Amino acid sequence: MSDESQIEIPASFLELYLAPGRQKPSLPRAELAARYELCEDMAQMLTETARQMEFSLGIAESDVLTRCLLGLRVEPAVVTEAEATWVVTRLAELLNWPAPLQADAG
């Protein structure tokens, strides 16, 4: 059994690739798994950076998340807009911070 078949992709990420009324994602399984792993890794890597930003800059958690989202949007973007929003939401979850109310920061 290959590693990619063992990756459990959360529904919240799968939804990024489901067209309204569809049940099958728009990406092949291997590509979807690779995109998920990239986004999960980004969220995990940003945890320490986010904590440092909060304390060194003395800003609110929501401001840290907004700055992270803006950073993910910088061209050339590594993730899509929807994936960037997912990464920031996952980051908040990992840090036990309130989920961003609105991912659109500009």
Side-chain angles (χ1 to χ4, degrees):
M1 185 175 275
S2 70
D3 286 336
E4 43 183 70
S5 65
Q6 295 178 10
I7 295 170
E8 188 173 328
I9 301 170
S12 62
F13 193 83
L14 281 172
E15 290 171 6
L16 302 180
Y17 291 96
L18 289 176
R22 302 290 309 249
Q23 293 182 349
K24 185 177 178 185
S26 59
L27 293 180
R29 170 84 176 136
E31 190 175 341
L32 187 64
R35 297 302 304 171
Y36 166 67
E37 284 186 306
L38 171 70
C39 291
E40 178 65 26
D41 288 348
M42 290 182 94
Q44 295 282 344
M45 288 187 310
L46 282 170
T47 58
E48 190 57 36
T49 300
R51 284 186 188 111
Q52 288 176 359
M53 284 173 59
E54 179 188 24
F55 294 111
S56 66
L57 299 176
I59 59 177
E61 295 166 350
S62 61
D63 293 333
V64 172
L65 296 173
T66 297
R67 287 179 182 216
C68 289
L69 180 61
L70 291 172
L72 290 168
R73 291 176 170 169
V74 172
E75 292 297 330
V78 175
V79 294
T80 67
E81 180 68 26
E83 288 172 341
T85 300
W86 187 89
V87 168
V88 170
T89 301
R90 177 69 175 132
L91 175 60
E93 181 180 283
L94 290 168
L95 294 169
N96 293 313
W97 291 357
L101 296 177
Q102 182 176 330
D104 184 37

